Amino acid sequence: MKRSIKKILSFTFLCTFFLFLSVLFFCCGNKESGKKDELKKVSLTMWLVGDSVPDYDEMLAELNKIMERDLNATLKVNFTSWTDWKTKLRLVISSGEQVDLVHMAPWSIYDEQAKLGAFYALEELAPQYAPKTWASYSEEVLKQAQVNDHVYMLPFRYTDPEGNGFLYRLDLAKKYGLSKIESIDDLEKYMKVVKEKEGIIPYNAGGFDNQVMSESFAMWMKTWPDSADENLVVGQMNYIKVFQNDPEHPFVLYEHESFKQALQYARRFYTNGYWSKNVLANNTDSREAFLNGTSAITNLNPINANEEYRRLKAKNPDWELDWWSPYQNLSHPPKSPANNNGMSIPISSKNPGRVLMLLEKLHQDQAYADLTTFGIRGKHWDLDGNGEIILPEGVTADTTGFPWDRPCPWGWREEKFYRSGPTKLKSTWPVVRDWIQYIYDNGADKMFADFKFDKVPVEAEMAAIDSVKTQYLDPLIWGMVDPGKGYQELIDKMYQAGLQKVKDEFDRQWNAYSGNR
Amino acid sequence: MKREWDLLLFKTAGTVFVVFIALVCLFPFLLILAGSFTEESAIYKYGYSLIPAKFSFDAYAIILKTPVSIIRAYGVTILVVVTGTSVGLFITAMACYVLSQPDFKYRKIFSFIIYITSIFSGGLIPLYILMVRYLHLKDTIFALILPLFVTAWNIFLLRNFIREVPYSIIESAKIDGANEFTIFMKIVIPLSIPGFITIGLFQALYYWNDWMQAMLYINDKNLYPIQYYLYNMLNSFQSMNSSFLSSGILLPRIPTESIKMAMTVIATGPIVFLFGFAQKYFIKGLTAGSIKG
Amino acid sequence: MTHTFLQREKRGFRENFIYLLMLLPVLLYFFIFHYLPMTGLILAFKKYNHTGGIFGSPWVGFDNFRFLFISGTIARVTFNTVLYNLVFLITCQFLAVVIAIILNELKSKIIKKGVHSLMFLPYFVSFVVVGAIVYNFFNFEYGMVNTMLRALGKEPVNVYGIPIAWWFIMPFLNIWKWAGYTSVIYLAGVTGIDEQLYEAARIDGATIWQRIRVITIPALKPLIITIILFQLGSILKGQFELFYNVIGNNGQLYNATDVIDTYVFRMLVHNFDIGMGAAAGLYQSLFGLFLILTANYFIKKYQKDYAFF
């Protein structure tokens, strides 16, 4: 007895000692302050998402030359690479290591980190250090970038073309007496002939396709209202939505009539073998399959459709391609958020003023924009007689060391400097160009983007609901389960995980928000 | 007579059994090897097969377009494996020896303290903060070595082998006036060679196969170990999620199947080859070091 | 009382001085790289924010644990995890011992070396690649299994639609990956056995089975117990890569294959929260700690020498 007491005592002692040491260790870290900027020479660190390009360092050396002249500062750039990019961003921001500038977006981790207090609020700093850029934002744009009543990012000034659609082979359709696809029923006919006559899986989906289906399938239905929809709760599943023409009635996507209808189509497609029986286990995107002739459809947004068009035309010049998006059925398709890309300044930065001066340059000085977006003139890009951007002599899209717009310059993109914009290039696929132009002309701006749902009160429920997605929603949306039975199961599981509580909390916040408008 | 039969039966059945297992282990590797020499479109059409449907060197040509970075990555990996294994193993062994001696008073409590680290961990972020902000190890070779330096698993395994050293030998050495460290160097190490070789091998493989530390702490491309290149190629599809839908950016293009396979071959082929070569010494070491009476 | 206690400790300390010195590097290492970051465990009871950091963020009690238990799925997932890991542990150790014994008895150097090298191959193959190969085997339309079945005039099988099948496929993959690696430990153990013991047995006319039962297995027992005990502690963890890459998003199989790591991953991948992640980790760790302490208690009672601590 005595022995064991002694043992416990000594163990507790050791543990306490270790813990005490640890606390000491962490508490000793000193907090530096001093935001005074007198244009002393500083070195700034920027984190961008995605992968770098081969000639990035060469460009950076050029950039640093003009930065030193203009701002007495130098820049170091780190890339997350696409693998584990969110994990890396979180680590870098949470750890408090010095980061002066980081790419942020609603599709990245902007809302999450801004709520945790990761960035400088910019309402006071920006007018002082980046006055021109700050003044260029409309009230509406700044509202969209707000989290907890503060603006934590300097958004780009551009509208991203949003919305997926289907790239398919019009030549195949024509071969079997079909015309352009303009509805889900046309699509079904196309898939039927491909399956029967060509002997390949019509939509050989996998990987990325699995991720997009649950988002967009309901939208293909004819019962989907002719109105831009907005996601009010952003997460793994954007399941609470509202139509702009009916702001009084936000709804849960999976309880919408169109969703139920989509499940019937899905079941039919699955049974008829229009996609693989093991679509959820397949990790190969339909994009790769399409390129290699083992799928007759692939699901892409306009930008990627254009890229793929270029690639396919080189590989199979005799293919006639077309792209159809369910958004084309809407008279006012939704535009992407005005803060779809932007730059934030983490609180670990010691020079927020200088960083903003750099951002001012990136937004306002064409030399800065050109360098970071297109690389070095004469080596990576040039202008033709009409002032349109072209690749220099002897450089091709495959051999260039600086593919335009690739190494994440999106956070400071300005429409006016964006030489390679799809509406500006002659080489853009007309189908895509026309569609993007249509969005610019007729698209609906976000009306409720400044509504930021506070997840904290229902965090546990939202996590639990997310665990339902892969287990019950995905098999249903791919028709592997009979909707007669599976649909009710999905709904039951979601309520079991706390959907009612999320809805109640949402209603409370939405009513408060609508009351304030 | 019965004995002979028994032995014969055991040996025949045993040989068949282990050879079968070896073939099961070999099979996927052959698929990978064949896949790396197959033309991309053939993989999409026919899947993997042991004989390439359409022979092609393209995958290797693409990867080896910049051989310098691959060679450099190999250099980093070898440096990490060699230093990490040798120093780590020595420290581990000292601890194992101490923890296995009955005359060491605190062995149970320290064993417990060490074991706890294999169950509890504080998570990524605290460790990251420690490594980066306090130890300043970001973008250094030490960030690749230190986090895997000593593991509780290796300590417990090696302790078992060291325990097999008869205590009578150690005791008589003590009576002769040798101190603990001398006993460790002169008696314990030579008598537990099989254990050392085994644990050393594990430690080396652990380092060889690690990509996690590089993912966390290395931004400098010159310090990427070879496995991190492989990891990036194999896992890039996981980064594709629905958030890309609304990002309005070009989707990152994932490496094709044959490139993934070729990279696997490049990243593991040499060590597998080396391992086969080192077998002779490995088995010799195992038998030579065992305690014969 | 305290006086004598301290005195005794002081003497013990002096007597074991060189031992402690030799242990010091490892202790220092574990302190810095494991115990210091362990302070992060308190985040399981906090709502983390950047202004407060690890120590300044507000306490929230057990709030972070709520998401684990809310839908009632955790019981099934915990059960799955424990069962899978037990099956993994037992099958893998058993096979590894068998392989080590057989290899030890075989005299042919070529087979010994060849088999030994080949069994290590799976250790180098990433689970991502394993997942791709498995898909290539079982894929309904083009998979090797179904191509063969069709050639034989049989109905194709949709393996990805049969959850029960994965009760066998997963342990098989686990064995494939780890059995060779584990058998190396036992091989080292077997070669350490005194050759004279075998010689004596042979003279006594023992059959090979008797030799194995009476000499080899008892000699390996401490090793087997150490390994099993060690792995009990992390029974709710591990093998995330196996499940994530082979099962992936295949929701139809989850009733049979969902383990805690994949379950928590799914919930937090878009609802990232440091506190909730720490809470899930703590749940796994405490479960493991409870299990290992219980196991250690019983072993201490019946086989004192093999106890862990």
Side-chain angles (χ1 to χ4, degrees), chain C residues 117-181:
Chain C
S117 321
L118 292 181
M119 277 188 326
F120 246 94
L121 284 179
Y123 180 84
F124 295 105
V125 180
S126 152
F127 271 124
V128 180
V129 176
V130 175
I133 292 176
V134 169
Y135 177 71
N136 205 57
F137 258 83
F138 295 130
N139 159 20
F140 183 79
E141 285 85 8
Y142 303 115
M144 288 186 196
V145 174
N146 280 341
T147 312
M148 228 146 68
L149 284 177
R150 283 197 195 96
L152 295 173
K154 298 229 168 67
E155 278 292 298
V157 187
N158 183 10
V159 182
Y160 281 98
I162 310 169
I164 300 298
W166 298 85
W167 279 105
F168 300 96
I169 297 173
M170 300 313 272
F172 173 81
L173 291 176
N174 184 67
I175 289 177
W176 174 81
K177 178 96 173 169
W178 295 110
Y181 175 88

Side-chain angles (χ1 to χ4, degrees), chain C:
Chain C
M1 170 70 198
T2 6
H3 191 61
T4 49
F5 173 76
L6 279 181
Q7 257 180 351
R8 202 165 52 229
E9 288 308 306
K10 217 166 128 190
R11 182 152 24 94
F13 190 79
R14 207 174 317 124
E15 272 168 12
N16 286 303
F17 183 68
I18 297 185
Y19 277 151
L20 285 169
L21 215 60
M22 289 173 79
L23 197 56
L24 191 67
V26 163
L27 286 183
L28 216 61
Y29 175 81
F30 280 115
F31 169 67
I32 294 175
F33 288 92
H34 289 266
Y35 278 91
L36 277 182
M38 250 186 240
T39 41
L41 283 175
I42 62 170
L43 287 173
F45 305 98
K46 290 188 159 214
K47 178 91 196 105
Y48 182 86
N49 65 51
H50 289 297
T51 16
I54 294 181
F55 295 101
S57 298
W59 296 93
V60 291
F62 284 91
D63 246 24
N64 287 331
F65 290 83
R66 219 159 48 92
F67 81 107
L68 283 174
F69 300 95
I70 207 165
S71 65
T73 319
I74 190 77
R76 192 195 76 224
V77 176
T78 305
F79 176 78
N80 271 356
T81 315
V82 170
L83 201 63
Y84 266 116
N85 275 327
L86 277 182
V87 171
F88 285 175
L89 191 57
I90 292 164
T91 52
C92 189
Q93 299 310 316
F94 177 75
L95 204 71
V97 170
V98 170
I99 292 171
I101 291 175
I102 293 176
L103 281 185
N104 187 50
E105 294 290 336
L106 294 183
K107 291 286 169 284
S108 160
K109 278 247 169 71
I110 296 173
I111 290 188
K112 223 168 165 171
K113 267 194 292 193
V115 168
H116 198 209
S117 321
L118 292 181
M119 277 188 326
F120 246 94
L121 284 179
Y123 180 84
F124 295 105
V125 180
S126 152
F127 271 124
V128 180
V129 176
V130 175
I133 292 176
V134 169
Y135 177 71
N136 205 57
F137 258 83
F138 295 130
N139 159 20
F140 183 79
E141 285 85 8
Y142 303 115
M144 288 186 196
V145 174
N146 280 341
T147 312
M148 228 146 68
L149 284 177
R150 283 197 195 96
L152 295 173
K154 298 229 168 67
E155 278 292 298
V157 187
N158 183 10
V159 182
Y160 281 98
I162 310 169
I164 300 298
W166 298 85
W167 279 105
F168 300 96
I169 297 173
M170 300 313 272
F172 173 81
L173 291 176
N174 184 67
I175 289 177
W176 174 81
K177 178 96 173 169
W178 295 110
Y181 175 88
T182 318
S183 73
V184 173
I185 308 174
Y186 292 118
L187 203 58
V190 175
T191 42
I193 298 171
D194 192 343
E195 202 57 44
Q196 288 175 356
L197 286 177
Y198 284 125
E199 212 37 61
R202 207 164 292 144
I203 292 165
D204 286 348
T207 63
I208 183 159
W209 308 108
Q210 285 169 326
R211 257 196 296 147
I212 291 173
R213 213 181 57 232
V214 180
I215 304 172
T216 318
I217 292 184
L220 288 180
K221 212 158 119 194
L223 211 49
I224 299 175
I225 291 179
T226 303
I227 292 176
I228 290 184
L229 264 188
F230 192 95
Q231 301 201 344
L232 271 186
S234 31
I235 198 140
L236 282 197
K237 294 184 189 169
Q239 303 303 337
F240 173 74
E241 303 233 329
L242 168 62
F243 285 95
Y244 185 68
N245 286 308
V246 175
I247 303 295
N249 295 321
N250 218 336
Q252 278 185 305
L253 301 178
Y254 281 174
N255 272 328
T257 62
D258 214 7
V259 292
I260 293 187
D261 280 338
T262 49
Y263 177 63
V264 171
F265 175 81
R266 253 191 350 267
M267 286 200 277
L268 293 188
V269 67
H270 282 268
N271 297 290
F272 174 77
D273 182 273
I274 300 180
M276 281 152 84
L282 198 57
Y283 169 71
Q284 292 173 301
S285 299
L286 287 176
F287 195 98
L289 184 68
F290 169 75
L291 217 62
I292 180 78
L293 287 181
T294 321
N296 194 59
Y297 173 79
F298 281 109
I299 291 204
K300 216 169 178 172
K301 215 163 164 184
Y302 300 110
Q303 293 260 348
K304 204 167 180 323
D305 292 348
Y306 300 146
F308 238 31
F309 19 72

Side-chain angles (χ1 to χ4, degrees), chain A residues 28-78:
Chain A
C28 287
N30 52 329
K31 278 246 182 316
E32 292 96 344
S33 58
K35 286 167 200 154
K36 220 159 179 246
D37 263 308
E38 302 150 346
L39 288 199
K40 267 184 301 188
K41 187 169 165 60
V42 291
S43 141
L44 305 174
T45 307
M46 173 161 77
W47 274 85
L48 297 176
V49 297
D51 292 306
S52 185
V53 296
D55 289 353
Y56 200 83
D57 287 342
E58 208 174 311
M59 181 286 290
L60 198 59
E62 289 294 312
L63 182 70
N64 272 326
K65 267 186 228 157
I66 55 173
M67 269 181 66
E68 235 177 311
R69 183 193 70 203
D70 298 341
L71 306 165
N72 200 20
T74 54
L75 187 66
K76 187 175 173 287
V77 182
N78 291 319

